[in-house]
């Protein structure tokens, strides 16, 4: 990892009030990460990204995905077949008349997207994630 990984906020630096989150995040980031929103399909900056590096939670800087697990699922959002299990939490999500599994950042509890069981090997999982919820750090 690069030296910039040292700048990743520690859990105690994570905002604990709505006001602090609103100060830290853009309006769109707040809607996705804190209000469980979804960006429009094919609108995110990471959908077609093929660079080597890591994807971090835009709310707190926790590394969530490695670029080698990213693939083109055709769904319109960045897709990954694996996440570091220690950095995400999974919760049942029955909103909007659908039964899904929500993916949240384990550090800041930010909404990242959903995981489905229709992905490629070796995991069979498709982490369908909002670009807005992620920051990309290229490999040096």
């Amino acid at each position: 990892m690069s030296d910039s990984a040292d700048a990743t906020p520690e859990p105690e630096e994570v905002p604990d009030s709505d006001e602090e989150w609103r100060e830290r995040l853009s309006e769109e980031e707040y809607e996705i990460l804190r209000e469980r929103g979804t960006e429009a399909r094919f609108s995110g900056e990471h959908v077609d990204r093929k660079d080597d590096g890591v994807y971090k939670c835009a709310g707190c800087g926790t590394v969530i995905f490695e670029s080698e697990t990213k693939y083109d699922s055709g769904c319109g959002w960045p897709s990954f077949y694996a996440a570091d299990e220690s950095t995400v939490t999974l919760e049942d999500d029955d909103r909007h008349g659908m039964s899904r599994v929500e993916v949240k950042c384990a550090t800041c509890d930010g909404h990242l997207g959903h995981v489905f069981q229709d992905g490629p090997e070796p995991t069979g999982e498709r982490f369908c994630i909002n670009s807005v919820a992620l920051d990309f750090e290229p490999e040096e």
Side-chain angles (χ1 to χ4, degrees):
M1 274 256 165
S2 68
D3 290 338
S4 62
D6 296 337
T8 300
E10 295 297 322
E12 61 268 15
E13 294 180 46
V14 172
D16 56 8
S17 74
D18 187 58
E19 183 179 317
E20 290 176 278
W21 277 116
R22 287 184 184 279
E23 288 174 13
R24 175 180 282 195
L25 303 173
S26 71
E27 222 174 279
E28 189 177 26
E29 288 171 332
Y30 184 86
E31 179 187 342
I32 302 291
L33 288 162
R34 307 317 304 166
E35 296 181 329
R36 300 167 73 192
T38 302
E39 66 195 7
R41 292 179 67 204
F42 298 105
S43 69
E45 68 176 300
H46 303 307
V47 174
D48 297 319
R49 184 182 297 278
K50 294 178 177 27
D51 305 322
D52 291 335
V54 294
Y55 293 84
K56 297 179 173 187
C57 173
C60 68
T62 298
V63 174
I64 307 288
F65 300 102
E66 303 284 338
S67 60
E68 52 268 5
T69 67
K70 187 174 185 296
Y71 72 101
D72 182 5
S73 71
C75 73
W77 292 274
S79 297
F80 304 85
Y81 64 77
D84 180 340
E85 290 181 18
S86 70
T87 65
V88 296
T89 57
L90 306 178
E91 296 182 11
D92 290 336
D93 179 3
D94 295 324
R95 296 176 301 135
H96 308 298
M98 297 178 270
S99 182
R100 303 178 290 178
V101 177
E102 181 180 12
V103 180
K104 297 172 99 177
C105 175
T107 303
C108 72
D109 204 36
H111 170 77
L112 302 173
H114 293 87
V115 63
F116 303 93
Q117 299 303 309
D118 61 1
E121 293 302 325
T123 65
E125 294 181 317
R126 172 173 54 100
F127 287 84
C128 185
I129 306 298
N130 292 287
S131 283
V132 172
L134 299 173
D135 287 330
F136 180 75
E137 181 178 299
E139 192 174 90
E140 291 186 18

